[in-house]
Amino acid sequence: MKTMTACFYLITDDGVQYLPFADRFLLGGAQEGGLAAGRAWLEKPCIDVLRTGYGYGISRLPGQQNLLFNGTQLPEGGPYRLTHGDVLFAGSPDMQDYFLLLFAENGAQGQAGWMHLSYRELETSSAFPFRLRDGSWMVDPSLSGAPVKVYGSPLTAETPVYAGSVFRCGKRLFAAVRDGLFYTDLFPEDPAEDGILHIDIENRSIRKFFFRKKKLIENIHLDVKKGQMVLILGQAGAGKTTFMHAVNGYEKAEGTITYNGKTLEEIRKEGGGIGFVPQGDLLRPGVSVYNTLRNAARLKLAGTENDDPEIIRQKIAATLSLMGLTGKEKDLVSKLSGGEKKRLAVAAEYIGDPKLFFLDEPDSGLDGPSAERLMALLRHIADEGRIVMLISHSPDRAGSMFDRVIVLGKDPRTQCGGLAFYGSYPKTLEFFGVSKLEAVVDAIGNGKENRAAEFIGRYAAMQAERGGVE
């Protein structure tokens, strides 16, 4: 696991303050940084940020009301996964006092690199995408040569600027305060096509009676970034496995799916691009752990620069260590525990060095500790810069590890699966009005209580208003 030096950038009307921390940061009370000084509404701790085995997690403690995480009310509990560039807004009950906390996984640059621009200075500058209209400041995407985004969603129309607003314009990030803007280039996004999985599925259909087509899923459009771990949720029959098979190329769908601008076919030809662990156990029980990995490596690395006996031996040793299987090399697969078999199945795909990793219910049949260990392993694999996408029926055992959640619903009118939501863990809970991921499926309902069409419509309208996928 890589060593991290994390920090928050505290942004108030008075300036930008650098708040480094190693393992824990407590917001409120007598925490380091003195944020509670002169702020009666912060006398009790309200936020706990803790380093975990998969990065940093943020938990909301009871009490404080005005806490927004990337523009969304932060639910009590957690931890929710923190990633570079996340924004926490905290405000007093009367909203007369506030501050922003910008999270950085590597804060080695300190507070250098932040600049201030007053609204008076902004009036005479044409270098920024802001304009004064009817006495109010607006951010105007038409004035920018790069996309303007709010928490990852592109803006297509003028939007008011309020104290506490955060905007991204290309590589530059703006944080609004009462008298102007602070801005920095410390939080650049990846280039548009660097590590992005573009999913544009029009439909996936099968032929039924008299060659008539039946749609299984339709109109699913979203982007996934490298390094993200993504959960697929949905009702029974909503098309979770169909969607996964369409994305990894196992089943053909109408539409386009690319990674870094390349099709799945092109990625496969390059070798080692896609890993898939199905729900069923495909391991051969009479083969040893070592030979299982050696056979997988020979198959997946054939014709690549790593197709060398010594390199394969080293990769097997490293993979065994990562998966917690060192010392099991001579054991037959049939002698492994359920958790060990799952980790070996993951190892057999991981050894091919996939950029895209798909798993269908990898935690099925595992007890709580074994499932949590497996999910932490998948989180580590994502943190290596891979995309990990999985289906799980018990996601709350690892909810905070997921960067994004895809929710599919089966429209009772068309009997076809559609995209009911795509967003972060906290935003998913907020959208469906629940406190746990496993309650999302209950919120959608089944039978006469099926609200899938309602959620699919609401999400489509929300995306149309925002002007694109998250």
Side-chain angles (χ1 to χ4, degrees):
M1 191 70 68
K2 59 185 178 181
T3 302
M4 290 173 287
T5 303
C7 79
F8 280 110
Y9 291 101
L10 168 67
I11 303 173
T12 68
D13 291 336
D14 298 325
V16 179
Q17 184 180 350
Y18 172 61
L19 302 176
F21 66 98
D23 296 316
R24 192 173 192 183
F25 179 90
L26 200 62
L27 173 60
Q31 84 299 325
E32 184 178 352
L35 297 185
R39 292 185 168 100
W41 54 279
L42 274 181
E43 288 181 349
K44 295 182 179 179
C46 58
I47 288 294
D48 191 8
V49 178
L50 190 66
R51 182 174 179 176
T52 69
Y54 55 85
Y56 288 94
I58 181 171
S59 299
R60 176 176 175 173
L61 307 177
Q64 175 66 25
Q65 297 300 314
N66 298 317
L67 289 171
L68 300 180
F69 181 56
N70 292 332
T72 301
Q73 277 289 345
L74 183 65
E76 286 189 3
Y80 306 105
R81 179 170 161 77
L82 270 174
T83 57
H84 187 70
D86 281 344
V87 181
L88 178 71
F89 173 93
S92 61
D94 59 5
M95 294 303 291
Q96 294 301 305
D97 187 24
Y98 73 95
F99 55 80
L100 292 167
L101 286 170
L102 223 64
F103 178 71
E105 285 185 316
N106 188 343
Q109 300 177 75
Q111 62 196 77
W114 284 91
M115 291 157 281
H116 180 261
L117 184 70
S118 70
Y119 285 129
R120 179 171 296 180
E121 292 171 315
L122 196 58
E123 287 185 51
T124 60
S125 174
S126 59
F128 302 92
F130 299 92
R131 71 164 77 231
L132 189 62
R133 183 182 295 281
D134 300 326
S136 299
W137 279 100
M138 314 286 287
V139 57
D140 186 350
S142 69
L143 300 178
S144 173
V148 178
K149 298 182 180 181
V150 178
Y151 306 121
S153 297
L155 293 180
T156 57
E158 287 186 348
T159 300
V161 177
Y162 301 106
S165 300
V166 177
F167 302 95
R168 182 185 292 281
C169 178
K171 67 178 183 179
R172 181 159 291 169
L173 186 141
F174 295 90
V177 292
R178 286 191 173 94
D179 71 337
L181 302 164
F182 287 100
Y183 64 97
T184 183
D185 295 335
L186 294 178
F187 295 88
E189 287 190 313
D190 289 334
E193 292 296 331
D194 181 17
I196 302 295
L197 175 65
H198 292 289
I199 301 173
D200 288 297
I201 297 177
E202 299 302 329
N203 71 78
R204 158 67 179 140
S205 304
I206 58 173
R207 292 193 179 276
K208 297 201 73 174
F209 304 108
F210 302 105
F211 300 100
R212 294 180 60 184
K213 284 188 175 181
K214 173 178 173 53
K215 292 182 180 179
L216 302 179
I217 55 175
E218 64 178 353
N219 298 329
I220 301 177
H221 310 285
L222 53 92
D223 291 345
V224 183
K225 297 180 180 180
K226 69 177 181 181
Q228 290 189 333
M229 181 168 162
V230 181
L231 170 69
I232 304 172
L233 274 181
Q235 311 151 284
K240 299 183 294 295
T241 299
T242 298
F243 168 74
M244 176 175 284
H245 287 175
V247 175
N248 66 25
Y250 190 77
E251 297 180 8
K252 181 66 175 176
E254 296 294 326
T256 58
I257 299 167
T258 61
Y259 178 74
N260 278 359
K262 298 180 180 179
T263 65
L264 298 181
E265 291 76 12
E266 292 172 325
I267 293 172
R268 282 196 171 91
K269 287 180 181 178
E270 294 177 353
I274 301 173
F276 175 48
V277 180
Q279 184 177 355
D281 183 2
L282 301 182
L283 300 173
R284 296 169 61 187
V287 178
S288 71
V289 169
Y290 189 90
N291 285 340
T292 296
L293 290 185
R294 184 177 63 179
N295 294 339
R298 287 175 173 174
L299 177 65
K300 295 180 181 298
L301 300 176
T304 71
E305 61 182 9
N306 291 321
D307 187 7
D308 175 85
E310 178 59 24
I311 292 178
I312 288 176
R313 187 191 67 77
Q314 293 174 4
K315 288 181 72 68
I316 291 174
T319 301
L320 286 168
S321 176
L322 175 63
M323 303 293 164
L325 294 172
T326 300
K328 299 283 184 178
E329 293 90 341
K330 296 181 180 181
D331 291 4
L332 297 180
V333 170
S334 60
K335 300 298 183 180
L336 300 180
S337 67
E340 289 169 341
K341 287 181 180 178
K342 291 285 187 179
R343 297 200 303 277
L344 180 59
V346 172
E349 293 296 309
Y350 176 83
I351 203 165
D353 197 24
K355 302 177 182 68
L356 310 175
F357 215 140
F358 302 90
L359 306 98
D360 192 349
E361 299 187 39
D363 56 342
S364 176
L366 299 183
D367 58 33
S370 296
E372 290 172 8
R373 181 177 182 179
L374 178 64
M375 289 298 185
L377 173 63
L378 297 177
R379 178 67 259 173
H380 175 87
I381 291 174
D383 287 339
E384 292 179 333
R386 311 173 200 271
I387 289 176
V388 175
M389 189 176 293
L390 63 96
I391 298 171
S392 173
H393 293 297
S394 303
D396 286 309
R397 292 189 289 198
S400 60
M401 298 187 191
F402 297 110
D403 297 291
R404 292 290 184 271
V405 181
I406 298 169
V407 182
L408 302 179
K410 186 174 183 179
D411 190 327
R413 302 166 302 183
T414 63
Q415 293 296 298
C416 181
L419 186 58
F421 188 75
Y422 176 56
S424 67
Y425 175 24
K427 288 183 178 180
T428 302
L429 301 182
E430 180 187 51
F431 184 82
F432 290 97
V434 297
S435 59
K436 300 189 302 180
L437 286 172
E438 289 160 31
V440 168
V441 175
D442 295 332
I444 298 174
N446 275 300
K448 294 182 179 179
E449 302 298 325
N450 189 339
R451 299 174 60 196
E454 173 191 337
F455 286 115
I456 292 171
R458 275 179 53 193
Y459 180 70
M462 184 176 76
Q463 290 303 93
E465 182 178 345
R466 288 180 174 178
V469 298
E470 182 169 324

